[in-house]
Amino acid sequence: MLTEIQQATPFQGSDTFDNIGWGESVYLPATTQLLRNDYVVRPEDMRQVRRIMQAVAEGGMFLNAHVEMENAIDAYLDELEAVNKVEPMKGLRWVLSHLDQVTNAQLERMKRLGLYAGLHSRPLIQGALMHTVHGERAWDMPPFKRVQDSGIVWGLGSDATAVTTANPFYTLSFAVTGRMLGGRRVNRQSVSREQALIAHTRSNALFVFQESNLGSIAPGKYADLLVLDRDYFTVPAAQIKDIRPALTMVGGTIVYQSR
């Protein structure tokens, strides 16, 4: 793996598909599972995590690390702080993703390292199961508002389609309402519509080093845009998930138009 990292050459693809760095599971034995609450930090695993992180930092590459539970977040931050002393990661835009149990103290550590946060809408489908596994703590998983209030740049996404729908309006709806697809409320960390939209657009563009091209409608940026069938900012919150595109434009070319 270390040899593969050393040979990696990011940013060789296209604007549609590209490899920007390393992740998501940095080292499989040190990867948490959302629907299990028994993760044990093993020093031998974290030593491997550090070796991989240091190789990525030495290569000047982006890193995205999947980490969910509080004890795992602490362990990853320990390794990140150690790597940063040897190979500073400032400017590499490293991301810790999921962060379902991140605490305020951990967010402060992330800020000092210049890390970003990637949060997801997995409770759309798995919310009830998360409450079964994690009890009361599941109300704050993922902690959208806590991360927003910390001032850390955070991106919003759906995660893999095997976990939840890729439809961005379902993801935005969950971040705003905290409700599963069936309407059950399972999260109390809601953010505003504007905060959710910025996280899903501008912030995600920053993560992939495309903030000059993507993330907002502005002169000089790609004409990638949607015309919607209703106003995201004014429809009742319960209807955000029902928004549909009336027109889709990619690079200034119309690729979809409803009849």
Side-chain angles (χ1 to χ4, degrees):
M1 180 180 291
L2 296 179
T3 301
E4 186 177 347
I5 291 171
Q6 292 166 353
Q7 294 174 347
T9 52
F11 304 107
Q12 300 300 305
S14 68
D15 289 336
T16 303
F17 184 82
D18 201 359
N19 171 22
I20 65 166
W22 200 263
E24 169 189 14
S25 294
V26 175
Y27 181 63
L28 194 58
T31 302
T32 53
Q33 301 293 330
L34 180 66
L35 297 181
R36 297 189 62 171
N37 200 21
D38 58 356
Y39 177 75
V40 176
V41 176
R42 301 194 308 171
E44 60 270 29
D45 292 339
M46 299 315 297
R47 283 194 291 271
Q48 296 301 321
V49 167
R50 186 188 299 193
R51 291 180 67 212
I52 295 166
M53 286 178 170
Q54 185 156 333
V56 174
E58 288 172 353
M61 289 192 293
F62 169 87
L63 178 83
N64 171 28
H66 169 123
V67 57
E68 299 155 324
M69 308 312 166
E70 182 179 353
N71 62 337
I73 297 168
D74 263 336
Y76 270 75
L77 286 170
D78 288 345
E79 303 307 327
L80 286 160
E81 287 165 348
V83 169
N84 190 58
K85 290 177 182 178
V86 178
E87 198 68 44
M89 59 189 69
K90 184 178 181 180
L92 299 182
R93 305 186 185 182
W94 284 15
V95 174
L96 297 184
S97 61
H98 304 309
L99 290 172
D100 293 276
Q101 293 184 354
V102 72
T103 66
N104 287 325
Q106 290 169 338
L107 287 167
E108 285 301 315
R109 293 175 71 185
M110 289 177 62
K111 286 175 73 173
R112 288 194 290 271
L113 288 167
L115 298 173
Y116 298 166
L119 305 183
H120 302 86
S121 58
R122 291 177 298 170
L124 265 172
I125 294 172
Q126 298 180 330
L129 289 172
M130 289 170 61
H131 276 257
T132 298
V133 173
H134 299 284
E136 283 294 306
R137 195 162 194 177
W139 282 105
D140 299 309
M141 297 171 59
F144 299 119
K145 187 176 188 302
R146 182 181 303 151
V147 176
Q148 172 70 36
D149 290 347
S150 76
I152 284 177
V153 175
W154 67 284
L156 175 63
S158 63
D159 200 21
T161 53
V163 177
T164 190
T165 172
N167 184 327
F169 296 104
Y170 278 94
T171 297
L172 291 165
S173 174
F174 182 76
V176 171
T177 69
R179 295 184 182 277
M180 297 178 64
L181 290 181
R184 173 178 168 178
R185 189 165 185 238
V186 292
N187 185 282
R188 63 186 173 200
Q189 287 280 325
S190 299
V191 291
S192 72
R193 300 182 198 210
E194 182 179 13
Q195 290 166 343
L197 185 61
I198 288 171
H200 212 324
T201 54
R202 282 189 231 158
S203 296
N204 284 339
L206 191 72
F207 285 11
V208 295
F209 299 85
Q210 286 280 358
E211 67 272 20
S212 296
N213 299 321
L214 307 174
S216 61
I217 300 173
K221 293 191 175 184
Y222 297 155
D224 296 348
L225 58 90
L226 297 176
V227 176
L228 306 178
D229 66 352
R230 65 200 85 178
D231 188 341
Y232 165 75
F233 286 105
T234 60
V235 297
Q239 292 182 21
I240 292 175
K241 62 179 175 43
D242 302 319
I243 294 174
R244 297 290 183 270
L247 179 145
T248 303
M249 184 179 288
V250 178
T253 300
I254 295 173
V255 296
Y256 170 78
Q257 189 167 5
S258 62
R259 296 179 179 178

